[in-house]
Amino acid sequence: MLQIGDRVVYPMHGAGEITGIEEYDVMGQGQMKSYYVMEMPIGGMRIMLPADNIDKVGLREVSPTDMVDKIEEVLKGDPIKAVGSWNKRFHANLNRLKTGDILEVAAVLRNLALQDRIKKISSGERRLLDTAKQIFLTEMVYVLDGTMETTEVWLQKLLEREN
């Protein structure tokens, strides 16, 4: 059971803080359902999560601070060589993001960011890169106990390298 103030990660959306628990009548049928209210650190986005569905959506706690070294290793690591059509790469990366694992998200972010520097990526992969970056940054703001700006600077420094 989640508590107000818990910081959690919702796969494919990112991290946020549980700011409330609200009850709503579902489709006007007189059947009240509980929802967790999750506020995201980017753009003040608010997500309503059905309390009876929390176990099925892959919600997890924000990564502990002792994961930072592993995350940095992934970001500094060598990118996986892009093989196959952009469509196959897109779906492979999308599946990695859907896991919700911060290390998988970091690897997708690294691979797409570095590939984009070498040869511009497709518009579909660009959207995926933007999604990966948002998911990654929202969680890392909490992990590093920083701001969005300081966390983005930290990320850019880790991704800087010679081609």
Side-chain angles (χ1 to χ4, degrees), residues 83-95 122 124-125 128:
V83 292
S85 68
W86 78 266
N87 194 20
K88 284 187 179 188
R89 290 191 312 267
F90 177 87
H91 286 291
N93 284 325
L94 181 61
N95 288 335
S122 69
E125 286 179 307
L128 199 60

Side-chain angles (χ1 to χ4, degrees), residues 4-159:
I4 293 174
D6 285 352
R7 293 174 170 178
V8 294
V9 177
Y10 186 22
M12 292 303 295
H13 290 83
E17 185 172 335
I18 302 299
T19 58
I21 302 169
E22 299 178 7
E23 300 248 336
Y24 288 99
D25 184 0
V26 179
M27 301 206 287
Q29 298 176 355
Q31 182 182 2
M32 299 300 282
K33 279 190 145 191
S34 293
Y35 290 82
Y36 292 107
V37 179
M38 184 172 125
E39 302 258 346
M40 308 285 283
I42 292 181
M45 186 162 66
R46 185 175 186 229
I47 298 175
M48 305 292 288
L49 304 165
D52 60 358
N53 205 22
I54 290 300
D55 295 337
K56 297 176 186 153
V57 297
L59 205 67
R60 66 169 173 79
E61 291 182 5
V62 169
S63 299
T65 54
D66 63 6
M67 284 288 292
V68 172
D69 289 340
K70 289 180 187 172
I71 293 165
E72 287 180 349
E73 280 179 38
V74 170
L75 291 170
K76 291 177 182 177
D78 291 331
I80 296 171
K81 181 77 173 148
V83 292
S85 68
W86 78 266
N87 194 20
K88 284 187 179 188
R89 290 191 312 267
F90 177 87
H91 286 291
N93 284 325
L94 181 61
N95 288 335
R96 291 178 84 180
L97 289 183
K98 285 180 180 179
T99 68
D101 182 320
I102 190 65
L103 298 176
E104 291 291 325
V105 174
V108 169
L109 178 58
R110 174 203 63 211
N111 293 343
L112 289 175
L114 296 177
Q115 178 62 36
D116 191 42
R117 276 197 217 137
I118 296 166
K119 177 183 173 201
K120 293 297 177 194
I121 56 178
S122 69
S123 60
E125 286 179 307
R126 162 77 46 216
R127 284 191 303 278
L128 199 60
L129 173 59
D130 293 343
T131 299
K133 187 174 181 181
Q134 176 184 321
I135 293 168
F136 183 81
L137 288 173
T138 58
E139 181 166 3
M140 293 311 296
V141 161
Y142 293 125
V143 174
L144 299 172
D145 196 27
T147 66
M148 192 58 67
E149 294 76 23
T150 59
T151 305
E152 198 157 3
V153 167
W154 170 81
L155 172 62
Q156 290 307 326
K157 285 181 181 173
L158 288 169
L159 292 176

